[in-house]
């Protein structure tokens, strides 16, 4: 039985109330590990009063469940069955979770796994099971269902290419490998994880390679995605740039529909 469900709470209080009259776009943000997708996407969603969906959290939650059940990460049949029997819920973060950097709360079969899914081991497991087409089918269907109404910022690897190929705004977020590894390492440091910067660098490179080279839905910039390299930019600056692009897109769409810009 198909029991995968993703729900999330709308972020109700936009901190920058500049776009209240904007019609609801679908915004796809793709990019490699450490490119700042989660922080930026969440901030953009807050500014616009949109939903935020972290698709990577779904792959991570499933990866965690597979590790806990000892399912080999190349056992397609069991992993597909697992995906079909899994309930994943994404909610806006509690103050407690936000204080430790979580961008959302993740529930796996009803249990809070927000912290547990943020380990290197789970990230690698997620990246491995994400190479399986039938596992992706289950998760993608659920992502499409969750975002069907628009007014959503969804981030991942294949959002602009596969999940929402008709998204009105697509961003490909990137940064140098060194900066991306350093960002991830700082997150580990803040959590007290004992991992060195060179180790994090190697992990990030390995995961990128797998995510970019896999046969099914690889990480690739959609032809119509705007490339934003934020190597030398902060979260706030990057988010504001994307909000400006969203405003422009909205004006274009209003113009095309014959409305006033
Ligand atoms: O965004 P993240 O680092 O939390 O994602 C974890 C892994 O999940 C990533 O290495 C690849 C996979 N993933 C994917 O294949 N497609 C997505 N849309 C999101 C994540």
């Amino acid at each position: 039985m198909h029991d995968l469900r993703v729900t999330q709470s709308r972020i109700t209080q936009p901190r920058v109330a500049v776009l209240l009259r904007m019609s609801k776009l679908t915004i796809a943000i793709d990019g490699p590990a450490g490119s700042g997708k989660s922080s930026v996407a969440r901030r953009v969603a807050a500014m616009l009063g949109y939903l935020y969906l972290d698709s990577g959290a779904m792959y991570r939650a499933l990866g965690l469940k597979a590790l806990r059940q000892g399912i080999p990460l190349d056992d397609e049949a069991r992993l597909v069955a697992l995906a079909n029997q899994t309930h994943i819920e994404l909610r806006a973060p509690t103050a407690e979770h936000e204080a430790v950097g979580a961008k959302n709360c993740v529930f796996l079969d009803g249990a809070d796994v927000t912290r547990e899914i943020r380990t290197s081991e789970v990230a690698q497991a997620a990246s491995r099971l994400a190479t399986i087409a039938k596992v992706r089918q289950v998760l993608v269907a659920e992502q499409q269902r969750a975002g069907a109404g628009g007014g959503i910022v969804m981030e991942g690897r294949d959002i602009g290419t596969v999940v929402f190929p008709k998204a009105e705004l697509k961003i490909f977020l990137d940064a140098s490998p060194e900066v991306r590894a350093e960002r991830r390492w700082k997150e580990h440091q803040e959590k007290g994880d004992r991992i060195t910067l060179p180790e994090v660098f190697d992990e990030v490179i390995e995961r990128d390679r797998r995510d970019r080279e896999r046969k099914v839905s690889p990480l690739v910039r959609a032809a119509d995605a705007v490339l934003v390299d934020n190597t030398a930019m902060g979260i706030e600056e990057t988010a504001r740039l994307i909000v400006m692009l969203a405003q422009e897109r909205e004006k274009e769409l209003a113009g095309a529909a014959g409305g006033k810009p």
Side-chain angles (χ1 to χ4, degrees), residues 30 33 37-38 54-57 59-60 118 123 126-127 130 136 143 155-159 184 207 211 214 217:
D30 291 301
K37 293 186 306 293
S38 303
D54 169 5
S55 65
Y59 289 91
R60 283 173 183 259
R118 297 292 160 196
S127 170
R136 300 194 70 84
Q143 289 154 13
E155 51 111 340
R157 303 292 188 289
D158 61 340
I159 310 303
R184 272 288 139 86
R207 197 144 67 89
D211 294 345
R214 68 181 176 223
S217 310

Side-chain angles (χ1 to χ4, degrees), residues 98-174:
E98 212 163 6
V100 290
K103 314 297 179 306
N104 52 30
C105 288
V106 184
F107 290 81
L108 173 63
D109 299 324
D112 185 350
V113 293
T114 306
R115 290 180 77 103
E116 287 87 338
I117 63 166
R118 297 292 160 196
T119 66
S120 301
E121 192 192 9
V122 172
Q124 294 293 349
S127 170
R128 288 187 61 191
L129 60 78
T131 62
I132 301 170
K134 285 184 180 160
V135 168
R136 300 194 70 84
Q137 271 172 23
V138 177
L139 298 184
V140 166
E142 201 54 32
Q143 289 154 13
Q144 288 171 333
R145 193 196 59 77
I152 190 162
V153 184
M154 195 176 292
E155 51 111 340
R157 303 292 188 289
D158 61 340
I159 310 303
T161 51
V162 175
V163 182
F164 289 112
K166 294 192 177 153
E168 288 91 2
L169 179 62
K170 300 180 187 176
I171 304 291
F172 192 88
L173 204 57
D174 210 350

